[in-house]
Amino acid sequence: LTSARSATKRSSDWAAAALAFDKTAINPNFGFTAGAMQSTLRDLHKWARVLATGTLLTPGLQAQRLQTVPFPNPGPVDVSYGLGIFKLDNLVGHNGAAVGYSTAMFYLPSKRATIVVWGNNSTNVTTPATTIAFDLAEILFPKAVDQGVIRGIT
């Protein structure tokens, strides 16, 4: 029991230290393809619409991409993923995270609106930018997205 407590404390201390250090010193390439591309806000603004509408794809391939599989989500928000495409209710796009970085870009086809959020607060598995993007969509387009909490993806 003592060694288990000691291991738990060491693990907890390591996690706290990992969250506390300056993440700007990390080379984003550590995430392989997740950090292999750098873009601007303008790039992501353009890409969100192209990704959601399938402008660069055949209609058949885009239809396949939009056949998404639901994620378990206890809240009222429909969350699903397809072939390189992520859906939150009627928002279509993608998100990403690496230690210290978080991005989300979504397009709302019914409003022809794009939301892009960048953040510098993230672990390798959290995406606070996604929560912010959805919250913005709820405020700006309340009838176009379900009012609710996104759980399990933030």
Side-chain angles (χ1 to χ4, degrees):
L1 183 60
T2 304
S3 64
R5 282 188 185 139
S6 178
T8 301
K9 173 140 177 42
R10 282 194 308 273
S11 174
S12 176
D13 290 347
W14 178 86
L19 293 173
F21 77 92
D22 178 7
K23 294 162 190 74
T24 59
I26 296 174
N27 181 338
N29 287 331
F30 83 92
F32 189 55
T33 56
M37 184 189 94
Q38 295 180 5
S39 60
T40 66
L41 185 61
R42 186 178 305 250
D43 291 341
L44 292 178
H45 181 262
K46 289 179 186 176
W47 181 243
R49 182 183 48 77
V50 169
L51 177 74
T53 60
T55 304
L56 301 177
L57 304 175
T58 65
L61 182 55
Q62 179 65 0
Q64 285 181 344
R65 292 180 74 230
L66 293 175
Q67 293 176 3
T68 57
V69 177
F71 281 12
N73 184 38
V77 179
D78 290 328
V79 180
S80 61
Y81 193 80
L83 297 172
I85 205 155
F86 182 36
K87 291 175 75 176
L88 297 173
D89 279 337
N90 297 315
L91 295 169
V92 181
H94 213 289
N95 66 349
V99 176
Y101 305 94
S102 176
T103 59
M105 57 171 197
F106 290 97
Y107 183 73
L108 183 56
S110 65
K111 300 293 183 182
R112 296 178 55 190
T114 302
I115 296 175
V116 178
V117 177
W118 281 356
N120 63 355
N121 181 13
S122 176
T123 66
N124 203 30
V125 294
T126 60
T127 56
T130 303
T131 302
I132 294 168
F134 192 79
D135 288 348
L136 285 170
E138 285 183 318
I139 292 166
L140 297 171
F141 310 105
K143 294 185 189 312
V145 295
D146 279 343
Q147 302 294 304
V149 177
I150 305 170
R151 296 185 182 101
I153 61 166
T154 59

